[in-house]
Amino acid sequence: MPRFQPLQQTGLPSSPQLEVAQPLPRSFYARKATVVARDLLGKILIHQQGPLTTAGLIVETEAYQGPEDLAAHSSKGRRTPRNEVMYGPPGHAYLFLLYGMHWAFNVVTAQQDVPHAVLLRALQPLEGLPTMAARRHQPEHSRLLTNGPGKLCQAMGLRREHYGVDLCDGPLFIANAPKVPFITSPRINVDYAGAWAARPWRWSIPGNAWVSVKPKPAQS
DNA sequence: GAATAGATTGTCT
DNA sequence: GACAATCTATTCT
């Protein structure tokens, strides 16, 4: 059995379908982050950058729910130029720079003045694989293309200029797709948040090869 | 496969 | 001035 199933055999949307794909409505994002994070699994992130279209199936997400959530940038109501967009209306992009070199992409959820966001941690490439491979300096079939927050931003061409863009009207959006199974696990690298770090606010598609850090099996 | 160190800069204390 | 919602190369087993 091959390690990676060829895309043609996955039953996932093909290029013609992606060309007519529509953005999810703002009402989809106007719910708390834990709900949106779960519902985003299996949806498709699409970036139409001039002639270059890249798209990927969302296979891993994390919810951040300020002001209560001590792992969120908006914890305790913290409001700075960096996280300002989290306090705006839902359906916009929140990008931030990590470790001075990697961008991370989030969608703002909930209502105005309720600073929730969902971090996209991993995608399964669907479209524009040559473009992604060139941006990532990796082979087209490699899971290293998009199996992490920084990696997927590089592969999808997401950077500072996408901070605050409207995901409901523009070349960067998320399209609907059938529901998929999911598992939950604790969020990655938020140990500073004490008990909040232990909450199962990470969602992923079980067994998907593009999920970043392997989730620990649930206790039974 | 697992563990470790180093990269590199915006942001906030 | 400390450090981050990370990634990569290297060095082990």
Side-chain angles (χ1 to χ4, degrees), chain A residues 3-86:
Chain A
R3 190 180 196 81
F4 299 112
Q5 194 176 20
L7 286 176
Q8 295 83 351
Q9 297 174 15
T10 59
L12 294 168
S14 59
S15 302
Q17 287 173 283
L18 290 183
E19 284 175 18
V20 298
Q22 295 299 308
L24 288 166
R26 201 169 310 284
S27 56
F28 176 89
Y29 300 103
R31 301 174 293 163
K32 62 182 185 180
T34 45
V35 173
V36 177
R38 182 194 64 205
D39 280 358
L40 276 175
L41 280 189
K43 302 287 188 281
I44 301 168
L45 178 66
I46 301 174
H47 189 197
Q48 295 167 338
Q49 194 174 43
L52 300 178
T53 294
T54 47
L57 191 80
I58 298 170
V59 302
E60 181 182 349
T61 63
E62 283 179 357
Y64 288 87
Q65 292 196 166
E68 307 85 7
D69 179 9
L70 293 183
H73 291 160
S74 54
S75 73
K76 303 177 183 173
R78 242 180 4 151
R79 185 166 183 164
T80 67
R82 178 177 72 155
N83 69 9
E84 178 63 28
V85 71
M86 289 182 80

Side-chain angles (χ1 to χ4, degrees), chain A residues 99-173:
Chain A
Y99 300 95
M101 60 194 99
H102 306 297
W103 288 96
F105 174 78
N106 305 248
V107 302
V108 173
T109 81
Q111 287 77 44
Q112 174 95 30
D113 296 321
V114 179
H116 289 194
V118 174
L119 170 68
L120 300 196
R121 288 193 51 91
L123 303 174
Q124 177 174 344
L126 290 180
E127 184 65 30
L129 270 67
T131 300
M132 293 191 192
R135 288 171 175 160
R136 290 278 303 126
H137 311 292
Q138 295 287 342
E140 289 184 22
H141 60 274
S142 172
R143 75 176 85 189
L144 297 179
L145 240 39
T146 50
N147 68 338
K151 299 176 199 178
L152 76 85
C153 281
Q154 191 181 9
M156 295 290 293
L158 303 177
R159 337 164 113 259
R160 178 197 316 277
E161 67 202 83
H162 300 285
Y163 182 93
V165 302
D166 188 354
L167 301 173
C168 301
D169 179 26
L172 176 63
F173 63 97

Side-chain angles (χ1 to χ4, degrees), chain A residues 158-211:
Chain A
L158 303 177
R159 337 164 113 259
R160 178 197 316 277
E161 67 202 83
H162 300 285
Y163 182 93
V165 302
D166 188 354
L167 301 173
C168 301
D169 179 26
L172 176 63
F173 63 97
I174 298 173
N176 203 5
K179 294 215 173 200
V180 294
F182 67 86
I183 55 174
T184 62
S185 53
R187 293 172 290 182
I188 303 297
N189 287 346
V190 293
D191 293 344
Y192 55 82
W196 289 88
R199 294 206 169 196
W201 279 8
R202 177 187 182 216
W203 282 260
S204 57
I205 298 180
N208 187 281
W210 280 266
V211 172

